[in-house]
Amino acid sequence: VTPLSDYQFADLVPYIEFARAAYCSPDIIVGWQCGDACSALPGFVPTLTGGDGNSIQFFYIGFWPDQSAVVVAHQGTNPLKLMSVLTDLSVAFMAPDPNLFPNVPNGVQVHSGFAIEHQKTARQILAEVVRLLAKHSSTHVILTGHSLGGALAELDALFMKFNLPAGTTIRGVTLGTPRVGNEAWATFFDSQVSEFTRMNNKHDPVPTVPGRLLGFRHPSGEIHIESDGRAVACPGADDGTDPQCSDQLVPNILEGNIVDHLGPYHGIFVGSIFCT
């Protein structure tokens, strides 16, 4: 593993704040008046919000002048509810929708629940991203989210890669993300999305489910937060061999601490109760 410098760790903070803001009601996101998260990102202009926090997770899209980037952020969900779903041994795989993910190789499979949730908003979000890229002459798109929102952001990253013009830079930064697909998904994702970071905090059990024994794998890009102020970059794929990374630290959910799912991520807690 490679320790992150203070600068490298601090560079991730804006993405954490965007993910935190996704838990706030669209009513206050519209005016970018969501408290600490919004105050930490002055200048960001939300242009589309959606979801009801129930059948469809909250989401928002906007333009970030500081990075000349379009940002898409997805809300997560109650971690105890999510763990119940993700530890269900009957969890089903499905092939990604070919209308959303053209030219995906045979054998690529994703978690059916995540895929169905993603389908609900994918086209609406894509249309706004395309509009904003054209309006601002931008070529940079950022996808972020925490928990279930991270899974949706991971799906979004590959979806955008397929559906935006060549030359568009796609960056995904997610927090506490569960596994989204099988090994073929992870391998193909790595080949298509080079700028992807998934942050895991201490003994959070959510990134370890659904289990590898069920055929699920993460793509590369883990950053593991070992303690407040210290994080390491975990090399390679989701192979369970790195002693400072999630698979070894949380070999099963009984050794996890669900409170770590909420943070702190560089001193920032993320979840519905932290929309202040």
Side-chain angles (χ1 to χ4, degrees):
V1 300
T2 305
L4 265 65
S5 68
D6 291 344
Y7 174 81
Q8 289 172 316
F9 200 7
D11 187 55
L12 296 169
V13 168
Y15 308 98
I16 300 170
E17 296 287 15
F18 279 125
R20 175 164 67 152
Y23 279 92
C24 300
S25 167
D27 293 343
I28 59 176
I29 290 294
V30 168
W32 205 234
Q33 299 292 322
C34 64
D36 292 343
C38 290
S39 297
L41 298 162
F44 178 75
V45 181
T47 59
L48 180 68
T49 62
D52 57 14
N54 186 14
S55 61
I56 299 176
Q57 303 306 111
F58 293 150
F59 66 88
Y60 67 86
I61 306 140
F63 186 70
W64 187 19
D66 186 64
Q67 297 294 318
S68 189
V70 176
V71 176
V72 180
H74 291 273
Q75 178 197 25
T77 191
N78 181 301
L80 294 176
K81 177 181 177 183
L82 183 64
M83 285 296 293
S84 175
V85 171
L86 295 177
T87 53
D88 183 345
L89 296 180
S90 65
V91 62
F93 279 116
M94 66 180 286
D97 183 342
N99 295 311
L100 300 178
F101 297 88
N103 304 316
V104 169
N106 290 334
V108 170
Q109 299 275 301
V110 294
H111 185 288
S112 59
F114 297 157
I116 291 168
E117 183 73 20
H118 178 257
Q119 291 167 9
K120 295 175 183 178
T121 60
R123 290 181 177 85
Q124 180 186 12
I125 288 173
L126 176 63
E128 182 65 3
V129 169
V130 168
R131 188 187 74 82
L132 288 175
L133 289 174
K135 178 180 178 180
H136 296 282
S137 300
S138 173
T139 59
H140 189 28
V141 178
I142 295 167
L143 298 315
T144 189
H146 168 254
S147 193
L148 171 58
L152 296 174
E154 183 176 321
L155 286 162
D156 258 352
L158 189 58
F159 170 62
M160 295 293 171
K161 178 71 175 180
F162 279 131
N163 290 280
L164 292 175
T168 305
T169 300
I170 308 294
R171 182 173 189 186
V173 181
T174 68
L175 289 67
T177 303
R179 293 187 177 97
V180 170
N182 64 357
E183 185 170 6
W185 162 266
T187 300
F188 184 64
F189 186 95
D190 283 344
S191 74
Q192 298 295 312
V193 182
S194 59
E195 293 189 49
F196 185 72
T197 300
R198 49 185 184 86
M199 278 182 277
N200 298 331
N201 185 52
K202 301 176 186 175
H203 288 81
D204 179 5
V206 171
T208 69
V209 293
R212 289 187 297 127
L213 292 178
L214 297 177
F216 285 85
R217 293 289 188 279
H218 278 299
S220 301
E222 180 182 1
I223 299 292
H224 193 89
I225 300 172
E226 296 185 303
S227 61
D228 298 346
R230 175 175 168 79
V232 295
C234 300
D238 182 24
D239 56 13
T241 62
D242 299 310
Q244 291 172 269
C245 302
S246 289
D247 283 342
Q248 286 291 312
L249 287 171
V250 192
N252 61 71
I253 60 173
L254 296 179
E255 297 189 39
N257 182 354
I258 196 65
V259 175
D260 286 342
H261 187 57
L262 303 177
Y265 299 88
H266 203 287
I268 301 166
F269 287 90
V270 180
S272 298
I273 61 174
F274 303 109
C275 179
T276 59

